Every structure is written in C-alpha cells, then in structure tokens.
Amino acid sequence: MKIVSLTAENVKRLHAVEITPVGNTVVIGGRNGQGKSSVLDSIAYALGGKDLVCETPVRNGEKKAKIVCDLGEYVVTRTFDADGGSSLVVAAPNGSRFPSPQALLDKICGSLSF
C-alpha cells in the first residue's frame, strides 16, 4: 500500500497541508510546533481507526477537521466535528463506497502498521 496523496485541514496544529509523494521517501521537516507530528497523526487517524485519535483532533478555534488519504485503490475520507463526532468513508476510484470502511482498512493496513 502506498499513499498517492494526503490532504488534511484543521487537524491538531495544521491549517491545511497537501502532500503528493514522489519516489519512495518523503521528508517532513520544520521547526518545533510547525505541524510535523500533526501530519503523521493525520495518516494514523485516517487509516488506523478511532482508537488512535486523540481527544481533540480538531484545531483550536475550528469547527471541523478533514483528512483525505488517496491510496490509489481506495480513497479514505475521515472528518471530525469539534463536538466529538466523526465520520469515515472509504470509496473506490469509481465512487462506490464500502459498507464497513474501518473493517476494510484494518484488513489492508493491519495493526502492526501503527
């Protein structure tokens, strides 16, 4: 499995980030407090399930957060409300949705990934 693109908005310290990896290595760098861990957490939140999500994933002062992780074969979209609600959609490139999205992600990612 490879991440084709990642978009995250209002997740933890992030305003917005869009990453489209080229090659096999992606360097996420910056000073302290710039959001490096928030990018990695966004991947974990999108793919790993609600047990990996922190108590307040939405950026302070914002109402919603959204993560879209394109895996090529699947597009994972996870949203969070500041009130604590969340939703998860896993879709095929043709737009069809999977009825048990987290079960599918658990199957393709496995617990050792995180």
Side-chain angles (χ1 to χ4, degrees), residues 17-109:
V17 68
E18 185 174 337
I19 299 173
T20 304
V22 177
N24 293 324
T25 303
V26 175
V27 176
I28 300 171
R31 296 186 320 261
N32 289 344
Q34 297 294 300
K36 300 177 299 293
S37 294
S38 297
V39 169
L40 297 177
D41 287 342
S42 294
I43 297 169
Y45 296 171
L47 304 177
K50 64 182 175 183
D51 291 343
L52 294 179
V53 178
C54 70
E55 188 175 322
T56 54
V58 179
R59 180 180 172 81
N60 287 339
E62 300 295 337
K63 294 181 179 167
K64 292 189 174 227
K66 181 177 182 179
I67 304 164
V68 178
C69 189
D70 184 346
L71 304 175
E73 191 174 343
Y74 308 102
V75 177
V76 179
T77 304
R78 192 177 295 263
T79 58
F80 302 97
D81 296 336
D83 298 333
S86 68
S87 69
L88 172 65
V89 173
V90 177
N94 66 5
S96 64
R97 294 180 174 195
F98 293 89
S100 299
Q102 191 60 57
L104 174 67
L105 292 175
D106 291 345
K107 182 177 175 185
I108 64 172
C109 294

